[in-house]
Amino acid sequence: MTNCIFCKIIEKQLPSDLIHEDDKIIVFKDIRPKAKVHLLIVPKEHIKSLAETNTKHATLLAHMLLALPELAKAQGLAHGFRTVINTGVEGGQEIDHIHFHLLGGGILPKM
Ligand code: AMP
Ligand code: ZN
């Protein structure tokens, strides 16, 4: 989608610190990390937010969810990690292309 930063990263029109890519998702490091490990799991399909998803997205959402423990393991997060999905303005979502945050490395502050 035009003017979407994450679509541009997916299209390689913008650089990223790429960790993983497959037919459905791309995973790269967050440019402003909030933890020692801070990755973004982003689907190649432009979907605005979790609020826009429905049963048509079940396979994709499961793929994104199941990527988390594998990525955490590959990043050495043997003692746990946090997953965040900011949704909409009041949920603090800045980029309107759905993404999961994977955070870890040390004890994270209580929510
Ligand atoms: P959210 O607030 O959930 O929409 O999160 C958006 C995240 O994208 C923030 O944590 C930003 O630091 C991150 N971000 C923004 N632009 C880039 C970029 N070009 N490369 C990597 N991460 C980015
Ligand atoms: Zn997009």
Side-chain angles (χ1 to χ4, degrees):
M1 179 170 276
T2 342
N3 279 334
C4 171
I5 289 176
F6 286 177
C7 281
K8 286 183 178 161
I9 288 175
I10 291 159
E11 297 298 328
K12 309 287 191 298
Q13 291 167 11
L14 282 177
S16 73
D17 205 335
L18 191 68
I19 297 289
H20 168 83
E21 182 170 11
D22 61 35
D23 59 324
K24 294 186 180 64
I25 59 170
I26 187 167
V27 179
F28 49 90
K29 291 187 184 178
D30 195 295
I31 207 165
R32 291 187 296 274
K34 315 293 185 305
K36 202 168 160 192
V37 174
H38 187 172
L39 304 183
L40 299 173
I41 293 84
V42 182
K44 290 188 169 176
E45 179 182 351
H46 180 93
I47 301 163
K48 193 174 168 194
S49 79
L50 191 62
E52 315 289 317
T53 58
N54 56 51
T55 51
K56 277 188 294 185
H57 303 109
T59 304
L60 175 61
L61 290 170
H63 185 80
M64 291 173 71
L65 204 56
L66 292 169
L68 292 164
E70 287 191 20
L71 290 161
K73 195 174 172 191
Q75 294 288 316
L77 304 177
H79 304 292
F81 57 90
R82 179 173 294 167
T83 306
V84 174
I85 312 171
N86 295 325
T87 304
V89 176
E90 294 192 2
Q93 185 176 0
E94 285 174 25
I95 309 263
D96 286 338
H97 181 135
I98 189 174
H99 50 282
F100 294 177
H101 295 255
L102 170 63
L103 301 137
I107 295 176
L108 296 167
K110 290 267 182 218
M111 289 191 70

PDB file of all heavy atoms in Angstrom, residues 5-6 9 14-16 28-32 34 38 40 86 92-95 99 101, ligand 1:
ATOM      1  N   ILE A   5       5.001   2.411   5.587  1.00  0.00           N
ATOM      2  CA  ILE A   5       6.425   2.142   5.843  1.00  0.00           C
ATOM      3  C   ILE A   5       6.704   0.633   5.799  1.00  0.00           C
ATOM      4  O   ILE A   5       7.698   0.198   5.216  1.00  0.00           O
ATOM      5  CB  ILE A   5       6.834   2.710   7.224  1.00  0.00           C
ATOM      6  CG1 ILE A   5       6.870   4.242   7.177  1.00  0.00           C
ATOM      7  CG2 ILE A   5       8.195   2.186   7.658  1.00  0.00           C
ATOM      8  CD1 ILE A   5       7.164   4.883   8.517  1.00  0.00           C
ATOM      9  N   PHE A   6       5.812  -0.158   6.421  1.00  0.00           N
ATOM     10  CA  PHE A   6       6.076  -1.601   6.467  1.00  0.00           C
ATOM     11  C   PHE A   6       5.918  -2.249   5.086  1.00  0.00           C
ATOM     12  O   PHE A   6       6.674  -3.163   4.753  1.00  0.00           O
ATOM     13  CB  PHE A   6       5.186  -2.271   7.517  1.00  0.00           C
ATOM     14  CG  PHE A   6       5.620  -1.981   8.942  1.00  0.00           C
ATOM     15  CD1 PHE A   6       4.886  -2.458  10.032  1.00  0.00           C
ATOM     16  CD2 PHE A   6       6.769  -1.246   9.211  1.00  0.00           C
ATOM     17  CE1 PHE A   6       5.289  -2.189  11.339  1.00  0.00           C
ATOM     18  CE2 PHE A   6       7.180  -0.973  10.514  1.00  0.00           C
ATOM     19  CZ  PHE A   6       6.431  -1.450  11.578  1.00  0.00           C
ATOM     20  N   ILE A   9       9.142  -1.627   3.414  1.00  0.00           N
ATOM     21  CA  ILE A   9      10.187  -2.539   3.910  1.00  0.00           C
ATOM     22  C   ILE A   9      10.012  -3.912   3.256  1.00  0.00           C
ATOM     23  O   ILE A   9      10.982  -4.531   2.814  1.00  0.00           O
ATOM     24  CB  ILE A   9      10.149  -2.617   5.461  1.00  0.00           C
ATOM     25  CG1 ILE A   9      10.678  -1.303   6.047  1.00  0.00           C
ATOM     26  CG2 ILE A   9      10.943  -3.811   5.974  1.00  0.00           C
ATOM     27  CD1 ILE A   9      10.595  -1.185   7.555  1.00  0.00           C
ATOM     28  N   LEU A  14      12.622   0.255   1.394  1.00  0.00           N
ATOM     29  CA  LEU A  14      13.257   0.824   2.586  1.00  0.00           C
ATOM     30  C   LEU A  14      14.081  -0.271   3.239  1.00  0.00           C
ATOM     31  O   LEU A  14      13.704  -1.453   3.186  1.00  0.00           O
ATOM     32  CB  LEU A  14      12.192   1.324   3.577  1.00  0.00           C
ATOM     33  CG  LEU A  14      11.503   2.662   3.298  1.00  0.00           C
ATOM     34  CD1 LEU A  14      10.444   2.935   4.361  1.00  0.00           C
ATOM     35  CD2 LEU A  14      12.508   3.803   3.245  1.00  0.00           C
ATOM     36  N   PRO A  15      15.198   0.093   3.878  1.00  0.00           N
ATOM     37  CA  PRO A  15      16.035  -0.930   4.514  1.00  0.00           C
ATOM     38  C   PRO A  15      15.448  -1.414   5.836  1.00  0.00           C
ATOM     39  O   PRO A  15      14.620  -0.724   6.445  1.00  0.00           O
ATOM     40  CB  PRO A  15      17.356  -0.183   4.764  1.00  0.00           C
ATOM     41  CG  PRO A  15      16.958   1.246   4.897  1.00  0.00           C
ATOM     42  CD  PRO A  15      15.745   1.449   4.036  1.00  0.00           C
ATOM     43  N   SER A  16      15.868  -2.601   6.248  1.00  0.00           N
ATOM     44  CA  SER A  16      15.515  -3.092   7.583  1.00  0.00           C
ATOM     45  C   SER A  16      16.601  -4.053   8.030  1.00  0.00           C
ATOM     46  O   SER A  16      17.365  -4.559   7.210  1.00  0.00           O
ATOM     47  CB  SER A  16      14.165  -3.806   7.576  1.00  0.00           C
ATOM     48  OG  SER A  16      14.287  -5.062   6.935  1.00  0.00           O
ATOM     49  N   PHE A  28      11.785  -8.185  11.325  1.00  0.00           N
ATOM     50  CA  PHE A  28      12.973  -7.333  11.392  1.00  0.00           C
ATOM     51  C   PHE A  28      13.064  -6.672  12.765  1.00  0.00           C
ATOM     52  O   PHE A  28      12.101  -6.665  13.544  1.00  0.00           O
ATOM     53  CB  PHE A  28      12.974  -6.286  10.258  1.00  0.00           C
ATOM     54  CG  PHE A  28      11.696  -5.512  10.105  1.00  0.00           C
ATOM     55  CD1 PHE A  28      11.510  -4.320  10.806  1.00  0.00           C
ATOM     56  CD2 PHE A  28      10.682  -5.951   9.282  1.00  0.00           C
ATOM     57  CE1 PHE A  28      10.336  -3.580  10.658  1.00  0.00           C
ATOM     58  CE2 PHE A  28       9.496  -5.236   9.132  1.00  0.00           C
ATOM     59  CZ  PHE A  28       9.331  -4.048   9.819  1.00  0.00           C
ATOM     60  N   LYS A  29      14.254  -6.113  13.044  1.00  0.00           N
ATOM     61  CA  LYS A  29      14.477  -5.473  14.345  1.00  0.00           C
ATOM     62  C   LYS A  29      13.758  -4.136  14.394  1.00  0.00           C
ATOM     63  O   LYS A  29      13.769  -3.386  13.406  1.00  0.00           O
ATOM     64  CB  LYS A  29      15.979  -5.265  14.572  1.00  0.00           C
ATOM     65  CG  LYS A  29      16.747  -6.546  14.780  1.00  0.00           C
ATOM     66  CD  LYS A  29      18.186  -6.249  15.176  1.00  0.00           C
ATOM     67  CE  LYS A  29      18.984  -7.534  15.278  1.00  0.00           C
ATOM     68  NZ  LYS A  29      20.406  -7.309  15.603  1.00  0.00           N
ATOM     69  N   ASP A  30      13.162  -3.845  15.538  1.00  0.00           N
ATOM     70  CA  ASP A  30      12.542  -2.532  15.736  1.00  0.00           C
ATOM     71  C   ASP A  30      13.646  -1.475  15.768  1.00  0.00           C
ATOM     72  O   ASP A  30      14.678  -1.653  16.405  1.00  0.00           O
ATOM     73  CB  ASP A  30      11.731  -2.514  17.043  1.00  0.00           C
ATOM     74  CG  ASP A  30      10.790  -1.336  17.116  1.00  0.00           C
ATOM     75  OD1 ASP A  30      11.271  -0.174  17.173  1.00  0.00           O
ATOM     76  OD2 ASP A  30       9.569  -1.566  17.113  1.00  0.00           O
ATOM     77  N   ILE A  31      13.387  -0.383  15.065  1.00  0.00           N
ATOM     78  CA  ILE A  31      14.393   0.681  14.940  1.00  0.00           C
ATOM     79  C   ILE A  31      14.620   1.405  16.274  1.00  0.00           C
ATOM     80  O   ILE A  31      15.686   1.987  16.491  1.00  0.00           O
ATOM     81  CB  ILE A  31      13.960   1.651  13.809  1.00  0.00           C
ATOM     82  CG1 ILE A  31      15.155   2.329  13.175  1.00  0.00           C
ATOM     83  CG2 ILE A  31      12.915   2.650  14.262  1.00  0.00           C
ATOM     84  CD1 ILE A  31      14.846   3.010  11.846  1.00  0.00           C
ATOM     85  N   ARG A  32      13.631   1.391  17.157  1.00  0.00           N
ATOM     86  CA  ARG A  32      13.765   1.991  18.497  1.00  0.00           C
ATOM     87  C   ARG A  32      13.460   0.927  19.546  1.00  0.00           C
ATOM     88  O   ARG A  32      12.363   0.893  20.127  1.00  0.00           O
ATOM     89  CB  ARG A  32      12.805   3.188  18.655  1.00  0.00           C
ATOM     90  CG  ARG A  32      13.188   4.396  17.796  1.00  0.00           C
ATOM     91  CD  ARG A  32      12.326   5.607  18.109  1.00  0.00           C
ATOM     92  NE  ARG A  32      10.925   5.387  17.788  1.00  0.00           N
ATOM     93  CZ  ARG A  32      10.385   5.596  16.582  1.00  0.00           C
ATOM     94  NH1 ARG A  32      11.138   6.036  15.598  1.00  0.00           N
ATOM     95  NH2 ARG A  32       9.126   5.374  16.377  1.00  0.00           N
ATOM     96  N   LYS A  34      12.783  -1.426  22.605  1.00  0.00           N
ATOM     97  CA  LYS A  34      12.337  -1.191  23.981  1.00  0.00           C
ATOM     98  C   LYS A  34      12.828  -2.308  24.904  1.00  0.00           C
ATOM     99  O   LYS A  34      12.466  -2.348  26.078  1.00  0.00           O
ATOM    100  CB  LYS A  34      10.803  -1.129  24.049  1.00  0.00           C
ATOM    101  CG  LYS A  34      10.122  -0.286  22.974  1.00  0.00           C
ATOM    102  CD  LYS A  34      10.419   1.178  23.087  1.00  0.00           C
ATOM    103  CE  LYS A  34       9.635   2.038  22.090  1.00  0.00           C
ATOM    104  NZ  LYS A  34       9.733   1.705  20.664  1.00  0.00           N
ATOM    105  N   HIS A  38      14.095  -6.861  20.368  1.00  0.00           N
ATOM    106  CA  HIS A  38      12.795  -6.265  20.017  1.00  0.00           C
ATOM    107  C   HIS A  38      12.596  -6.446  18.514  1.00  0.00           C
ATOM    108  O   HIS A  38      13.187  -5.731  17.699  1.00  0.00           O
ATOM    109  CB  HIS A  38      12.758  -4.786  20.389  1.00  0.00           C
ATOM    110  CG  HIS A  38      11.415  -4.142  20.212  1.00  0.00           C
ATOM    111  ND1 HIS A  38      11.118  -2.868  20.641  1.00  0.00           N
ATOM    112  CD2 HIS A  38      10.260  -4.605  19.641  1.00  0.00           C
ATOM    113  CE1 HIS A  38       9.858  -2.569  20.338  1.00  0.00           C
ATOM    114  NE2 HIS A  38       9.320  -3.616  19.718  1.00  0.00           N
ATOM    115  N   LEU A  40       9.850  -7.153  15.149  1.00  0.00           N
ATOM    116  CA  LEU A  40       8.501  -6.917  14.637  1.00  0.00           C
ATOM    117  C   LEU A  40       8.163  -8.028  13.649  1.00  0.00           C
ATOM    118  O   LEU A  40       8.943  -8.305  12.735  1.00  0.00           O
ATOM    119  CB  LEU A  40       8.429  -5.553  13.939  1.00  0.00           C
ATOM    120  CG  LEU A  40       8.732  -4.346  14.825  1.00  0.00           C
ATOM    121  CD1 LEU A  40       8.804  -3.073  13.983  1.00  0.00           C
ATOM    122  CD2 LEU A  40       7.699  -4.194  15.932  1.00  0.00           C
ATOM    123  N   ASN A  86      -0.273  -3.647  19.575  1.00  0.00           N
ATOM    124  CA  ASN A  86      -0.963  -2.367  19.745  1.00  0.00           C
ATOM    125  C   ASN A  86      -2.020  -2.252  18.650  1.00  0.00           C
ATOM    126  O   ASN A  86      -1.744  -2.530  17.478  1.00  0.00           O
ATOM    127  CB  ASN A  86       0.029  -1.207  19.638  1.00  0.00           C
ATOM    128  CG  ASN A  86       1.040  -1.216  20.776  1.00  0.00           C
ATOM    129  OD1 ASN A  86       0.719  -1.578  21.898  1.00  0.00           O
ATOM    130  ND2 ASN A  86       2.269  -0.837  20.478  1.00  0.00           N
ATOM    131  N   GLY A  92      -2.362   2.720  21.054  1.00  0.00           N
ATOM    132  CA  GLY A  92      -0.989   3.183  20.857  1.00  0.00           C
ATOM    133  C   GLY A  92      -0.346   2.707  19.564  1.00  0.00           C
ATOM    134  O   GLY A  92       0.880   2.729  19.437  1.00  0.00           O
ATOM    135  N   GLN A  93      -1.168   2.301  18.597  1.00  0.00           N
ATOM    136  CA  GLN A  93      -0.609   1.844  17.310  1.00  0.00           C
ATOM    137  C   GLN A  93      -0.149   3.045  16.484  1.00  0.00           C
ATOM    138  O   GLN A  93      -0.926   3.969  16.232  1.00  0.00           O
ATOM    139  CB  GLN A  93      -1.669   1.048  16.537  1.00  0.00           C
ATOM    140  CG  GLN A  93      -1.138   0.445  15.245  1.00  0.00           C
ATOM    141  CD  GLN A  93      -2.177  -0.437  14.526  1.00  0.00           C
ATOM    142  OE1 GLN A  93      -3.307  -0.591  15.003  1.00  0.00           O
ATOM    143  NE2 GLN A  93      -1.788  -0.993  13.401  1.00  0.00           N
ATOM    144  N   GLU A  94       1.138   2.998  16.091  1.00  0.00           N
ATOM    145  CA  GLU A  94       1.710   4.104  15.302  1.00  0.00           C
ATOM    146  C   GLU A  94       1.721   3.780  13.819  1.00  0.00           C
ATOM    147  O   GLU A  94       1.539   4.671  12.984  1.00  0.00           O
ATOM    148  CB  GLU A  94       3.152   4.372  15.742  1.00  0.00           C
ATOM    149  CG  GLU A  94       3.277   5.088  17.063  1.00  0.00           C
ATOM    150  CD  GLU A  94       4.733   5.181  17.509  1.00  0.00           C
ATOM    151  OE1 GLU A  94       5.636   5.130  16.651  1.00  0.00           O
ATOM    152  OE2 GLU A  94       4.952   5.272  18.727  1.00  0.00           O
ATOM    153  N   ILE A  95       1.994   2.537  13.497  1.00  0.00           N
ATOM    154  CA  ILE A  95       2.085   2.123  12.086  1.00  0.00           C
ATOM    155  C   ILE A  95       0.840   1.301  11.753  1.00  0.00           C
ATOM    156  O   ILE A  95       0.614   0.250  12.357  1.00  0.00           O
ATOM    157  CB  ILE A  95       3.350   1.279  11.837  1.00  0.00           C
ATOM    158  CG1 ILE A  95       4.589   1.981  12.387  1.00  0.00           C
ATOM    159  CG2 ILE A  95       3.454   0.911  10.353  1.00  0.00           C
ATOM    160  CD1 ILE A  95       5.408   2.763  11.454  1.00  0.00           C
ATOM    161  N   HIS A  99       1.113  -5.705  13.154  1.00  0.00           N
ATOM    162  CA  HIS A  99       2.406  -6.307  13.501  1.00  0.00           C
ATOM    163  C   HIS A  99       2.364  -6.759  14.954  1.00  0.00           C
ATOM    164  O   HIS A  99       1.665  -6.177  15.780  1.00  0.00           O
ATOM    165  CB  HIS A  99       3.553  -5.314  13.289  1.00  0.00           C
ATOM    166  CG  HIS A  99       3.335  -3.971  13.926  1.00  0.00           C
ATOM    167  ND1 HIS A  99       2.525  -3.018  13.365  1.00  0.00           N
ATOM    168  CD2 HIS A  99       3.785  -3.458  15.091  1.00  0.00           C
ATOM    169  CE1 HIS A  99       2.499  -1.954  14.151  1.00  0.00           C
ATOM    170  NE2 HIS A  99       3.245  -2.196  15.215  1.00  0.00           N
ATOM    171  N   HIS A 101       4.823  -7.304  18.254  1.00  0.00           N
ATOM    172  CA  HIS A 101       6.131  -7.006  18.836  1.00  0.00           C
ATOM    173  C   HIS A 101       6.579  -8.233  19.621  1.00  0.00           C
ATOM    174  O   HIS A 101       5.788  -8.804  20.387  1.00  0.00           O
ATOM    175  CB  HIS A 101       6.047  -5.854  19.833  1.00  0.00           C
ATOM    176  CG  HIS A 101       5.675  -4.518  19.246  1.00  0.00           C
ATOM    177  ND1 HIS A 101       6.577  -3.509  19.054  1.00  0.00           N
ATOM    178  CD2 HIS A 101       4.486  -4.030  18.820  1.00  0.00           C
ATOM    179  CE1 HIS A 101       5.965  -2.445  18.540  1.00  0.00           C
ATOM    180  NE2 HIS A 101       4.688  -2.747  18.396  1.00  0.00           N
TER     181      HIS A 101
HETATM  182  P1  AMP B   1       3.284   0.383  17.024  1.00  0.00           P
HETATM  183  O1  AMP B   1       3.340   1.536  17.978  1.00  0.00           O
HETATM  184  O2  AMP B   1       2.769  -0.871  17.634  1.00  0.00           O
HETATM  185  O3  AMP B   1       2.593   0.753  15.738  1.00  0.00           O
HETATM  186  O4  AMP B   1       4.789   0.039  16.674  1.00  0.00           O
HETATM  187  C1  AMP B   1       5.474   0.535  15.582  1.00  0.00           C
HETATM  188  C2  AMP B   1       6.928   0.210  15.819  1.00  0.00           C
HETATM  189  O5  AMP B   1       7.598   0.331  14.578  1.00  0.00           O
HETATM  190  C3  AMP B   1       7.626   1.136  16.817  1.00  0.00           C
HETATM  191  O6  AMP B   1       8.135   0.366  17.902  1.00  0.00           O
HETATM  192  C4  AMP B   1       8.739   1.782  15.983  1.00  0.00           C
HETATM  193  O7  AMP B   1       9.934   1.941  16.712  1.00  0.00           O
HETATM  194  C5  AMP B   1       8.897   0.788  14.838  1.00  0.00           C
HETATM  195  N1  AMP B   1       9.389   1.348  13.589  1.00  0.00           N
HETATM  196  C6  AMP B   1       8.976   2.463  12.951  1.00  0.00           C
HETATM  197  N2  AMP B   1       9.632   2.629  11.793  1.00  0.00           N
HETATM  198  C7  AMP B   1      10.487   1.584  11.684  1.00  0.00           C
HETATM  199  C8  AMP B   1      11.443   1.170  10.711  1.00  0.00           C
HETATM  200  N3  AMP B   1      11.663   1.894   9.608  1.00  0.00           N
HETATM  201  N4  AMP B   1      12.156   0.034  10.938  1.00  0.00           N
HETATM  202  C9  AMP B   1      11.940  -0.690  12.052  1.00  0.00           C
HETATM  203  N5  AMP B   1      11.044  -0.363  13.002  1.00  0.00           N
HETATM  204  C10 AMP B   1      10.337   0.755  12.832  1.00  0.00           C
END
